[in-house]
Amino acid sequence: MGENGKLASEQLKQYYDEGYVILEDFFGVQEIDPLREHIDVFDAELNQQLVAAGGGGFVQIPNQIVFTANLNLRDPVIQAFTAQPKLVDLTTQLLGPDVRLYWDQSVYKRPEAKRDFPWHQDNGYVPTDPVHYVTVWIALEDATIQNGCVWILPRTHAQGVVEHKKTDIGWQCYFGDDPGIPVELRKGGMAVFQSTLFHRSGPNLSQGMRKGYIAQYSVDGARNPTTGVVFDNGPVIARGGKPAYSGFYQRGKWPVRIYIIGAGAIARYHAAAVARLPESDGVPLSVADPNADTLAEFQRQFPAAHGFSDARDMLAAPAEAGDIVVVATPPFTHRELVCMALETGRHTLCEKPLAMSRDEAHQMLQTARAHDCLLGCCSSRFLGLPTSAEVKRLIRSGALGRLYHVTFVNRDRCTRAGIEYQPGSRWFLDRSKNGGGIIMDWGPYDFSALNDILQPVRVDVLSAWMANPATARDPDDVVFDVDEHGGASLRYHLADGTTLQVTYERSACTYGEERSVVEIEGLRGAVTWDWLMAERPGRVTYTFDNGDCFERRTSTFDDPDALDLHDKPLVYFYQRTRGSDSPAVVNEQAVFNFSCFRAMYDYIEKGQTQVVAGR
């Protein structure tokens, strides 16, 4: 070694000629042990989540090989380790005066990992400009052939970035017979190599865990040439060749990239909503749809969008912190597409209804938890309205007294999706594709609004019924087996111990009277309100005893700066991904709301009370 962390002249020559250099005992045990202890916690937590989710998708295999990324952004001790002076000396020697931590992750290979991780270049996972960055592979415990150390192919860095093919465990760039050179390291040693060097890791045939920590460094300002986004996954560690780290760095604003799966009518609403994001200028937009005509029409309306025929190809590159995926496809595809998107490490917003069944919804939630991502539902279109805010205020103030009954009835005579509304989308009429009819279509909005106001901790579906009234306009050339009129009797359990009855009804087809009654009754008053605010101003009517008689007091509310209802899901979800409070329906709340109306179908199927609990 040269002075401090700098390479000696012969080591520097090897780095440029061979593409790598091995630095044994670069760190002492007293430096490595605290780092390993901090990383152990994150690895164990992620592995447990992956096990609970039933798998980890691409590259992640629970109880075998686990990659835990962006550790520096979660732990000041880890981040300070990556910015220490001798790493500044090393990286400025190789990259120049201004250096940023480009990426970091731990890779723990357990004894159950009995297969190679394939030959690849680090650039094969995400393109960078400039191409060259430095990978530092640090042994947290001894890395040996027996426990799955890294293997390299010297001089392959000179080939530049080569084509990679996707395998079931990762991208692969070399399929030849050369086994390469093993890089066995003592604890505290590290391999330093160029990002274009071919490398792999062997199986763990030992009884212990192989533990490695990878820190990758680039010139400050390096970007993704495909999207133009400047990488911001860690702190600047050097300016002008001198240490520049001044304390724990947390990203305040992450560049956003929007990926939409599905290019139909609802997808275009989401694409238009990008203009309402705070950083709307230049937001990279990508869209995937296997239907070439649908994709072409989307790109005609949004010519800057990058088009793909396969969603997996669209999401193949590594995720960045600001990424949002929107799944805008029919419900029978939601679980597979949402889980696939979450497994890439991206926050995912799903069109309503969230899933086809409660089991599917819980699987989606577990996948989100395992990958530390948000799962959102587009059932937020009628949240955040001033009329609903006034109802919440009346309840909190005690003006209604103890609540005992809610009526939530919305009866339309003939507004069936797939027939009178959006007649080209016949999948609305097929239970195997939509999960149900009007209750699956409008239940997401109904129960998101109701649960937003009442905040139940448990909902019991005591009875439920559904019907499909016949009309002269019923199609006879497609499957039509969904409900267009339904209702239920429910018991809501509130956090303060209150229980109240809820009478719920929704129709898109009925020969009975059209009406809408949305009312909460308490022992001291009642309130009705325009929960949709379809017409402005919206009205809230509060009925109470003024001492002489019952009085009805109507207040009006307007919101001239309000978002369009189709802008809300993406804007609200974006706000939540940025750590801001918003009416977005995410994670446990999304699954809870979905389960409330899905349980109506379960009641009809099983003939017994259904309980929805555990938000």
Side-chain angles (χ1 to χ4, degrees), residues 432-448:
S432 69
K433 292 181 170 60
N434 198 34
I438 185 61
I439 304 300
M440 288 290 275
D441 192 26
W442 269 88
Y445 299 136
D446 296 342
F447 283 89
S448 289

Side-chain angles (χ1 to χ4, degrees), residues 38-51 63 66 68 106 108 110 209:
H38 280 249
I39 294 175
D40 281 351
V41 174
F42 290 109
D43 170 82
E45 181 182 82
L46 178 56
N47 185 63
Q48 184 177 12
Q49 292 171 347
L50 293 170
V51 170
N63 289 330
V66 175
T68 310
S106 62
Y108 280 22
R110 290 160 168 79
M209 194 183 307

